[in-house]
Amino acid sequence: MQKENLVLIGNGMAGVRTLEELLKLAPDHYHITVFGEEPYGNYNRIMLSPVLASEKTIEQIMLNGEQWYIDNGITLHKGKKVEQINRARREVIATDGTVAHYDRLIIATGSVPFMLPLPGADKQGVIGFRDIKDVDTMLATASQYTNAVVIGGGLLGLEAANGLMKQGMNVTVVHLLDTLMERQLDKPAAAMLQKSLAERGMNFLMEHSTAEILGQERVTAVRFKNGTEIPADLVVMAVGIKPNTELGKSAGLYCERGIVVSDTMQTITDPKIYAIGECVQHRGIAYGLVAPLFEQAKVAANHLAKHGIARYVGTVTSTKLKVTGIELFSAGDFTGNDQTEDIVFKDAASGTYKKIVLQDNQVKGAVLYGDTVDGSWYFQLMKDGTDVSAFRDTLLFGQHHLGDSGHNPDTRVASLPDNAEICGCNGVCKGDIVKAITEKKLFTLDEVRAHTKASASCGSCTGLVESLLAHTVGGDYSATPKTKPLCKCTDYTHDDIRHGIIQHSLKTMPAVREHFEWKTPDGCPSCRNALNYYLLCAYPTEYVDDAQSRYINERAHGNIQKDGSYSVVPRMFGGMCTSDQLRAIADVADKYEVPTMKVTGGQRIDMFGIKKEQLPAMWKDLSAAGFVSGHAYGKAMRTVKTCVGSEWCRFGTQDSTGLGVKLEELTWGSWMPHKFKLAVSGCPRNCAEATIKDIGVVCVDSGYELHIGGNGGIKVRVTDLLCKVATEEEVLEYTGAFCQFYREDAHYLERTAPWIERVGLEKVKTAILSDAANRKALYERFLISQQPAQIDPWKARADGAEAAEFTPIMIEA
Amino acid sequence: MSKWIEVVELNNIPVLGSRLIKTRDTDIAVFRGSDDQVYAIRDTCPHKGGPLSQGIMHGSTVTCPLHNWKIDLASGNALAPDHGCSNVFAVKVEGGKVFLQLP
Ligand SMILES: Cc1cc2nc3c(=O)[nH]c(=O)nc-3n(C[C@H](O)[C@H](O)[C@H](O)COP(=O)(O)OP(=O)(O)OC[C@H]3O[C@@H](n4cnc5c(N)ncnc54)[C@H](O)[C@@H]3O)c2cc1C
Ligand code: SF4
Ligand code: SF4
Ligand code: FES
């Protein structure tokens, strides 16, 4: 059979999903050609908000890279905008002249942000929030300017505002009405949301209408109808979107708000042309969320594959906000009317609000704030039109009120029915996920994502999927070894390899690679660094470190900065220093013309902008002044932060500074699976922020509390209490033992926080608390590993080690 | 045809590592693979200009130290999904010495 030509205009979420569905049904039916205006493969647009908030990278949100197009024989014209459809000749023509002939055509051009037609709206720095380009603009602006104004307090506006705030901008959200997200939230829920966003530092100008955007070339301020002005270096308009019908219109397709399509997603003007996604109007509705678009994609694919049995009849949508730490769910008609009744629960103190709108004992809509675990259940009841009279009085407490008053989401998800929808974006039900987990033997979230697509789009159902995984795989899910290989070079896991290294006395990288049948000769940047660390940890006194298997930071013993220069941090034990030491640092800074100095979050001094060639000389001067390397660049013990403690502070119960110095003397220089930080606070006021460190010590009258597994980074985690001890000696011993247990057990690049969540606190407690002999053995091994580690790498290099690394070769040509 | 210039002894480049060569016009990173194959590439990542000489080499690829783009040392091309190219220079080893040809 002669293959037909299928052309897709718009390389976005709906269009490419249609191709994916089509390839599943009829892989050989068409020659496929794709035109996309953006210069990228196909990415997850929803995830632009987390990218803006630095929670994800662009690489992480790519759905189909270029290889996918190649693998499926699809011709991709990226960065090419189609400007004309010639329906008579069945051709599409791009602005650069590229022509493609079609037998069938899909238009999936999405939508464009609605830009308010204000005076000054064309100035530099006024943008929408739609694509990677916009995110790049926002990130670049955030690095140079301070004030951002987001016009529109809806879903998109708040996500933009949150992201910009995370990038350090001072953000004001301007909203026409007195409630945020009025299309998803009622007043009480909106007020709670506004309060918690305000607590994070977001500013609001409610009931403000924008009149004009001021500035010369670039925006400088925004003026409102009431005459007031606020300064602005960036204005993001997030007041709505409009279907991108330009191309459809010019091709003579019938359009209203969007390109009008039938239940088979064919345009009503020309059945050879399909339209799908946000550019479409179906039964009067233009959708702006992915779940309905993905349903449309299924239908269109079914029709294109000539099965012709599917019909799209519209979708009920639900919404969640992707701002980390804010739980919010809304669906259906949550305002209600004369015929409806509301059931409402509000606990301002705990930040929980639930409202369910009922009519004739059926759920018509719901708003949940603070606790959204039951959102999918209410949504299901709503879609099914279930009669809830039998359990109406406990409806608000969720599905699991009976018999289980606990708040453990694991048990809640367990009792959901199989047809309960878990992932709203991709329409995946609990049954599908459980089936995939059991049949395909899945163990990790990534695997579930790959096989079912659940939680692969906006990610707000990730928690539910993880609970399902835990529940389905069984009680020891957390202890189940991940079947994920260490990297692409091997089929073996981190744990396999760590055990193998000891069991078979593998003492060099080639030996490990040979034993485990590596697929690449040299390994890759993931496994080389991991193996180097594993060998170093297993054979601290024997193994010869491989410099080429370390990231540049560790190879150059400094932190590489964005311009290729380095920063240098001398160690200041416990954050203590003398005037002589400060003077010495100042002298070094003068001598090497250090452009920037900064006190770090760990109470050390960081010197920026050092050229690599200068490093050894600078280190020489620093070591002459008595400093050793601060390891601020390494997967290593970094700093011990301290408060002043009993020596000066009127609240101090113990000498927290002195103890901090002792801990740092014990642990400095030690290589770890990842960076590692300690802190000691002199009393429970906790001025050293010990409860977000890998190890935190909080001094109390009767001794010392040891806290472990905290993290102040991207995902904040408060420590777990390990135990309380009475003496400083015990603090040192327990700390050393904990360090060693972590060093020997964790995967490379796994910080203590996710490690403890993976292996469970019990395992750590057992190793260190229940078994004193084991603790002492761990501590002993830690001390042994410290002997070769506490050699200052700076001094060695200042004395000439690895000179080639630091000496460029000059050529007169 | 421009001539070959001797720049460094092969043994002075670490295996799976690089040396940085500074010329009047540009910085060039010379890499040595585990098979002693030598590559020369402009020391500027096509992404945001990261110093490729500081990256980790594997096979005939280097991973940029700034944002982990992978650059093929033989062609200078960034590996998919990324796009871009850094110049490569002709390079040869004779008698244990590395020679570069500059345009
Ligand atoms: C920041 C952000 C956050 C979001 N969050 C969520 C969320 O949490 N949940 C949710 O359900 N939805 C969310 N959405 C909405 C969701 O992303 C869209 O509904 C979905 O991407 C629409 O898919 P589409 O294929 O119709 O359009 P798009 O994904 O926009 O794709 C259209 C593509 O067509 C291209 N194009 C347009 N015209 C031409 C032309 N003439 N020639 C060639 N190419 C062309 C465009 O460049 C674009 O890449 C969010 C959107 C944004 C912007
Ligand atoms: S933690 Fe306690 S002892 Fe330390 S500075 Fe704060 S109040 Fe003082
Ligand atoms: S130091 Fe850390 S938090 Fe600060 S800019 Fe660098 S990566 Fe981000
Ligand atoms: S500069 Fe090389 S990856 Fe970004």
Side-chain angles (χ1 to χ4, degrees), chain B residues 45 47-50 64 66-69:
Chain B
C45 175
H47 176 219
K48 290 194 171 167
C64 175
L66 292 196
H67 316 96
N68 292 331
W69 277 33

Side-chain angles (χ1 to χ4, degrees), chain A residues 757-773:
Chain A
E757 287 183 358
R758 178 170 66 82
V759 303
L761 184 61
E762 271 322 298
K763 177 166 170 180
V764 182
K765 284 191 167 168
T766 312
I768 295 170
L769 303 182
S770 331
D771 185 348

Side-chain angles (χ1 to χ4, degrees), chain A residues 250-263:
Chain A
S250 72
L253 301 177
Y254 179 68
C255 300
E256 286 174 4
R257 222 167 87 71
I259 304 172
V260 178
V261 294
S262 67
D263 284 359

Side-chain angles (χ1 to χ4, degrees), chain A residues 548-562:
Chain A
Q548 303 310 326
S549 297
R550 286 186 176 273
Y551 297 115
I552 181 60
N553 281 352
E554 290 182 353
R555 202 164 356 114
H557 304 283
N559 230 338
I560 196 168
Q561 299 298 336
K562 60 187 217 178

Side-chain angles (χ1 to χ4, degrees), chain B residues 22 50-51 54 65 86:
Chain B
K22 284 185 175 273
Q54 313 297 301
S86 210

Side-chain angles (χ1 to χ4, degrees), chain A residues 354-472:
Chain A
K354 300 181 185 185
K355 171 174 170 185
I356 297 170
V357 177
L358 295 177
Q359 182 173 3
D360 302 331
N361 279 321
Q362 291 179 2
V363 177
K364 289 288 157 203
V367 183
L368 307 177
Y369 185 87
D371 174 5
T372 56
V373 184
D374 287 306
S376 53
W377 183 48
Y378 297 135
F379 192 47
Q380 192 69 32
L381 293 175
M382 182 176 117
K383 288 196 294 186
D384 293 349
T386 309
D387 186 325
V388 300
S389 44
F391 48 95
R392 197 184 144 122
D393 44 347
T394 58
L395 192 60
L396 264 189
F397 302 115
Q399 190 178 10
H400 314 296
H401 175 68
L402 290 176
D404 177 17
S405 55
H407 283 275
N408 182 353
D410 290 5
T411 49
R412 296 213 222 172
V413 76
S415 48
L416 288 176
D418 270 357
N419 67 350
E421 183 176 84
I422 300 289
C423 172
C425 295
N426 292 288
V428 189
C429 298
K430 178 183 160 187
D432 303 340
I433 299 176
V434 171
K435 192 158 156 245
I437 293 174
T438 40
E439 284 181 4
K440 307 225 165 71
K441 305 206 180 351
L442 311 180
F443 284 98
T444 66
L445 184 62
D446 280 348
E447 290 169 339
V448 176
R449 278 187 183 146
H451 281 96
T452 66
K453 292 221 182 261
S455 117
S457 292
C458 88
S460 52
C461 63
T462 303
L464 283 176
V465 176
E466 283 179 325
S467 305
L468 260 182
L469 192 57
H471 192 263
T472 312

